Amino acid sequence: MGWGFLNFCTGARTFTFSPVLAVYAGYSMMQEHVDPGPALDPYVQDAMDEIEYVTGAIDTQWGAQRAKDVTLRLLPSIS
């Protein structure tokens, strides 16, 4: 199992490093690109959602999801 976004943020706090969010700007190393404008909008929205997940209050969509995820991680396993 790999590290998810929540694990990365928790690890940053635990090991006292500053997390850096990489945001796709529409260009790749293969010289491909996404034109600015509507084609790039889904990538911008993903970045905004990630920022809200980390910093949003629990009454926002992604802040509430983060709170739910943290709560689920703290619950004992049922197996």
Side-chain angles (χ1 to χ4, degrees):
M1 174 171 21
W3 268 35
F5 197 60
L6 182 61
N7 301 103
F8 177 70
C9 294
T10 303
R13 180 174 294 197
T14 301
F15 299 110
T16 62
F17 65 83
S18 297
V20 175
L21 176 63
V23 176
Y24 179 63
Y27 296 93
S28 76
M29 298 296 288
M30 308 269 305
Q31 305 303 315
E32 298 170 351
H33 72 279
V34 175
D35 291 328
L40 196 56
D41 286 348
Y43 302 100
V44 173
Q45 188 60 53
D46 282 347
M48 298 298 292
D49 292 345
E50 288 181 14
I51 292 167
E52 184 178 300
Y53 183 86
V54 175
T55 64
I58 62 170
D59 61 347
T60 64
Q61 175 187 353
W62 290 107
Q65 183 64 50
R66 180 193 69 243
K68 178 181 172 189
D69 293 344
V70 169
T71 301
L72 291 175
R73 283 185 61 195
L74 297 176
L75 292 174
S77 296
I78 303 173
S79 55

